[in-house]
Amino acid sequence: MNESIKATLRRIDTIAESIEGQRLVQCGSLSLKEIIRFDFLQFLAFLTVFDPEVPDYEIPFIKDVLGFQLTEKRLYDFQRERTSDKDFVNTPPRCLMFFVQADKAVQNTPAAAIKRSVLLVNAFKELGTAYVACDNDCNTVENANLANYSLMLDQYLTHFGIIEGTIRPDFDFSKKMGTDSYTKNVNSTPEKEEPEDNEQTVDDLMMELSAMTGLTGVKQDINNLVNLLKVKKMRESRGMKQPSVSLHLVFSGNPGTGKTTIARLLAKIYKKLGILEKGHLVEVDRSGLVVGYVGQTAQKTTEVINSALGGILFIDEAYTLTSNKGQGDFGQEAVDTLLKAMEDHREDLIVIVAGYPDLMEEFLSSNPGLRSRFNKYIFFEDYKPEELFSIFESMCKHNEYTLSDEAKTYAKEYLKNRVANRPKDFANGRDVRNFLEKAMSNQASRIVELENTSDSIDDATLQRFEKEDFETIDQ
């Protein structure tokens, strides 16, 4: 396991050297590689939970992977001094700011296809996952810390337009810009959000839905729902009685089947139909609703609900709210708060709950109020191999990548085998994105090696995936 992590970190070091070599950033007295190692150490210190008996995996892992010689006391002092502030989990690491700056510096060139900051974020996630996994006992605090920090990293990339997504209201990175000396090297004002396309009609949005890969049953369900709402509006305009229609939905299906994407599109459709005022999507899971203290869960859940008013509240893995009914679990408090809000805000709140089919059935059966409010189900089937490859080609095209013939053949066979064997962590579209990001990392390393032996790298080389960029994935 550690050898794989160390290989990833070596690739990040190579990219850091390339960034400095091209003079895309100015890091001051420290090298970018040194800043990265320091930020990685802070990250692991943040994840660390000091049990009554000292864990025997933390110090050796940090020494082996990052090269830092630490005692338990030094790690504890470092954690207390550097990561104990409650805002640490909402503050992007210094090195990521530099990587984003490097991506922005080349955004209008062919080199923009290599998203350095995405590769760095993936390295943080891989490092954290390996560190937490060293502990044979499942530590929920460490896993929660890892999930929250990973979410912050993704939100930071979304903030700067590096990846697509919805920015949660509790991540206001504009307040964190310019507060330290190193942030002066990064644009201190967030990029302007793309203006809403006011010319886009409901039919345009439905065509966008139709153009998506796969999802045949989902498209039919959404089409039927939209038609119902259109006729409802026509009847309303003519003074006819309006039957009550619940717009709260259950999205059931395995991970990576497009549930969030459809929810975001549906929010836009509802706005165009006049059902919702804002038409935004607030995405949250258990960690965004539940707090481990009496009374605080209701407050936190209410805050999230208020941020979603006028739009859709999308609760992923909603079954986790009721899966643990033991003493000290406050998931039911979040459910009770949600049910009351759905009653109080009938006109300006739509809730979509999502998760695995069987577990969502258990979730709805856990409370009569849930079953009565969520009576419309949309099932998301797993993608077929050819659909996954179509998604992969679309992602490549969007990021200005091409595929050699051998790479194309390899990718098709890889995805076909992935579906046939379907490992426990199989995640449909997310598997495709992970495959792409790992290929980008491998391609970047290959190109940097070429750069050291060649005078120039042409645009076609920067954009093209070769078979060898795929061959080491999952090894």
Side-chain angles (χ1 to χ4, degrees):
M1 173 67 77
N2 286 4
E3 292 307 314
S4 174
I5 300 299
K6 286 190 281 188
T8 296
L9 301 192
R10 285 195 295 271
R11 288 196 292 270
I12 295 298
D13 285 344
T14 301
I15 295 171
E17 290 174 347
S18 175
I19 289 174
E20 288 192 294
Q22 297 173 51
R23 298 184 179 180
L24 298 178
V25 299
Q26 295 180 350
C27 302
S29 58
L30 295 177
S31 70
L32 186 51
K33 286 172 59 176
E34 291 172 323
I35 293 170
I36 291 169
R37 280 297 190 272
F38 185 78
D39 286 342
F40 280 153
L41 178 59
Q42 286 193 120
F43 170 53
L44 296 187
F46 167 70
L47 296 181
T48 300
V49 174
F50 288 92
D51 299 320
E53 295 184 3
V54 181
D56 59 1
Y57 66 88
E58 296 171 340
I59 305 299
F61 182 98
I62 292 173
K63 178 182 178 182
D64 182 39
V65 175
L66 298 183
F68 289 101
Q69 299 275 3
L70 295 177
T71 62
E72 181 203 353
K73 183 179 184 305
R74 286 186 65 188
L75 179 59
Y76 174 79
D77 290 341
F78 189 87
Q79 182 191 61
R80 178 171 50 82
E81 294 169 4
R82 295 284 182 174
T83 71
S84 60
D85 187 287
K86 64 180 181 180
D87 207 38
F88 178 85
V89 72
N90 294 326
T91 304
R94 183 179 179 183
C95 60
L96 181 57
M97 295 181 177
F98 287 124
F99 271 55
V100 167
Q101 182 187 358
D103 281 338
K104 290 298 179 183
V106 298
Q107 61 183 348
N108 295 319
T109 71
I114 302 174
K115 301 293 187 182
R116 299 171 174 87
S117 50
V118 173
L119 301 179
L120 179 62
V121 164
N122 289 339
F124 268 97
K125 294 176 182 178
E126 186 178 349
L127 177 65
T129 300
Y131 185 66
V132 171
C134 287
D135 188 358
N136 293 326
D137 297 323
C138 178
N139 192 309
T140 56
V141 175
E142 290 180 344
N143 282 310
N145 286 346
L146 175 59
N148 290 331
Y149 197 86
S150 298
L151 175 60
M152 178 274 294
L153 297 175
D154 288 342
Q155 289 283 287
Y156 187 69
L157 296 188
T158 303
H159 175 83
F160 278 101
I162 304 296
I163 62 176
E164 297 179 354
T166 300
I167 300 179
R168 277 180 24 183
D170 50 335
F171 286 102
D172 187 359
F173 292 112
S174 61
K175 294 180 180 179
K176 307 180 191 306
M177 303 298 167
T179 57
D180 292 293
S181 59
Y182 61 76
T183 63
K184 295 177 182 178
N185 288 323
V186 183
N187 296 329
S188 59
T189 55
E191 291 186 319
K192 294 182 180 179
E193 294 183 4
E194 291 189 15
E196 181 185 356
D197 185 359
N198 291 319
E199 301 301 320
Q200 201 172 29
T201 66
V202 172
D203 289 340
D204 292 333
L205 292 169
M206 293 304 292
M207 288 181 63
E208 185 177 331
L209 171 67
S210 179
M212 292 181 180
T213 301
L215 304 175
T216 302
V218 173
K219 292 173 183 177
Q220 186 61 56
D221 285 339
I222 297 296
N223 189 66
N224 292 341
L225 180 59
V226 170
N227 287 341
L228 175 64
L229 294 175
K230 283 181 177 180
V231 172
K232 185 174 184 294
K233 297 293 286 186
M234 291 170 60
R235 290 174 58 90
E236 182 181 348
S237 67
R238 300 182 188 188
M240 297 180 182
K241 288 185 178 181
Q242 298 304 309
S244 178
V245 177
S246 175
L247 297 180
H248 306 302
L249 298 169
V250 179
F251 282 5
S252 65
N254 292 323
T257 47
K259 295 186 289 293
T260 305
T261 301
I262 294 298
R264 187 174 295 113
L265 183 63
L266 198 54
K268 295 178 182 178
I269 293 172
Y270 282 165
K271 180 179 180 181
K272 292 297 180 181
L273 287 172
I275 306 297
L276 293 173
E277 179 184 356
K278 297 179 181 178
H280 65 300
L281 182 78
V282 174
E283 182 183 0
V284 72
D285 57 15
R286 177 188 168 92
S287 66
L289 299 174
V290 178
V291 183
Y293 302 96
V294 176
Q296 290 190 354
T297 290
Q299 179 181 346
K300 188 173 185 180
T301 302
T302 298
E303 290 173 355
V304 172
I305 290 169
N306 288 339
S307 73
L309 294 180
I312 290 178
L313 175 60
F314 181 86
I315 305 177
D316 197 15
E317 297 182 341
Y319 51 83
T320 59
L321 295 174
T322 57
S323 59
N324 181 9
K325 295 185 178 182
Q327 186 176 3
D329 183 80
F330 300 100
Q332 188 58 50
E333 187 178 338
V335 171
D336 294 340
T337 304
L338 177 67
L339 290 174
K340 183 179 185 303
M342 291 169 69
E343 183 67 25
D344 294 343
H345 300 284
R346 288 185 177 184
E347 303 300 323
D348 58 352
L349 176 67
I350 293 174
V351 179
I352 298 176
V353 290
Y356 293 101
D358 293 345
L359 294 175
M360 290 306 296
E361 274 297 319
E362 293 178 12
F363 169 69
L364 296 173
S365 299
S366 69
N367 187 310
L370 289 171
R371 180 72 70 179
S372 65
R373 286 172 175 81
F374 294 99
N375 53 24
K376 174 64 178 175
Y377 297 73
I378 297 181
F379 176 66
F380 289 70
E381 294 183 357
D382 286 338
Y383 287 108
K384 299 179 178 64
E386 57 271 21
E387 292 172 339
L388 290 177
F389 181 73
S390 177
I391 292 171
F392 179 64
E393 281 193 309
S394 178
M395 287 181 178
C396 288
K397 183 177 180 180
H398 177 76
N399 289 282
E400 297 186 19
Y401 281 99
T402 61
L403 296 162
S404 70
D405 291 341
E406 286 188 336
K408 184 179 295 187
T409 300
Y410 188 95
K412 286 181 178 179
E413 192 63 24
Y414 173 90
L415 294 171
K416 180 180 178 181
N417 291 335
R418 187 81 175 166
V419 171
N421 297 317
R422 208 173 292 269
K424 289 183 179 180
D425 61 347
F426 179 71
N428 288 282
R430 293 179 199 169
D431 270 29
V432 177
R433 180 169 293 280
N434 290 337
F435 183 72
L436 173 62
E437 290 175 354
K438 290 175 182 178
M440 289 167 60
S441 177
N442 291 343
Q443 191 232 34
S445 298
R446 177 173 58 81
I447 288 177
V448 169
E449 291 179 5
L450 284 175
E451 187 180 33
N452 294 332
T453 58
S454 176
D455 293 334
S456 62
I457 303 294
D458 61 19
D459 291 356
T461 301
L462 277 174
Q463 293 178 312
R464 187 172 57 248
F465 281 130
E466 301 291 352
K467 179 182 176 182
E468 62 187 282
D469 300 326
F470 300 153
E471 289 177 321
T472 58
I473 295 176
D474 288 347
Q475 290 184 3

